[in-house]
Amino acid sequence: SPGAVTEHFTLNFTITNLRFTTDLQTPNSRKFRSTEKIMKHYLDPLFKRSSIGSAYTGCKAMRFRSGRHRDDTKVDAVCSYKDNASLARFDREKLHQELSTMTSNATKLGHYSLDRNSLHVHG
């Protein structure tokens, strides 16, 4: 849209059934790229159904890191949206609540299990 500015926010969560491996640390590794593609496959439809749906432009995994337990992988992503008149204003608390609801109280993302206390949206 004319006059629309791209804005960013971060999304963080922990997957409890994805074992962290060192090749997940390397952004150009096959494992990083394939895991990022899977995250996008699950996240994009959620955001499209959210309050920022029409303005959402995508998420990019920035980092996968080791969690507290052997099978935990923490995900740090940067997501984008077009800030324009059709979006009243970015409400991170509302978006967090919507994502929580759409992920079964922040416990499921597709075939992944999430640490229900790990979902964070920072606008």
Side-chain angles (χ1 to χ4, degrees):
S1 321
V5 175
T6 300
E7 298 287 348
H8 305 282
F9 62 95
T10 59
L11 177 70
N12 311 98
F13 56 93
T14 300
I15 300 171
T16 60
N17 63 337
L18 175 63
R19 181 166 290 181
F20 179 79
T21 56
T22 55
D23 52 346
L24 275 172
Q25 285 181 272
T26 308
N28 290 322
S29 72
R30 181 181 296 157
K31 180 82 170 185
F32 184 101
R33 288 193 317 265
S34 67
T35 304
E36 179 182 36
K37 189 175 183 178
I38 293 166
M39 292 298 113
K40 191 170 181 45
H41 171 78
Y42 289 129
L43 291 173
D44 283 354
L46 296 180
F47 281 108
K48 291 292 186 189
R49 292 193 320 260
S50 76
S51 57
I52 67 163
S54 62
Y56 173 75
T57 58
C59 283
K60 178 165 179 41
M62 300 307 290
R63 182 167 69 151
F64 296 105
R65 47 195 174 98
S66 179
R68 286 191 188 119
H69 306 288
R70 194 167 77 174
D71 289 335
D72 290 1
T73 297
K74 293 178 180 251
V75 180
D76 299 324
V78 172
C79 304
S80 305
Y81 65 96
K82 295 286 186 187
D83 188 13
N84 58 35
S86 66
L87 185 65
R89 75 174 184 75
F90 179 79
D91 184 337
R92 73 175 184 82
E93 289 178 15
K94 180 179 181 180
L95 183 59
H96 179 271
Q97 185 57 51
E98 291 169 344
L99 293 176
S100 293
T101 299
M102 290 187 278
T103 56
S104 301
N105 205 21
T107 61
K108 293 298 256 177
L109 180 63
H111 66 270
Y112 293 113
S113 297
L114 303 178
D115 174 343
R116 68 176 298 157
N117 297 313
S118 71
L119 180 65
H120 299 285
V121 176
H122 303 280

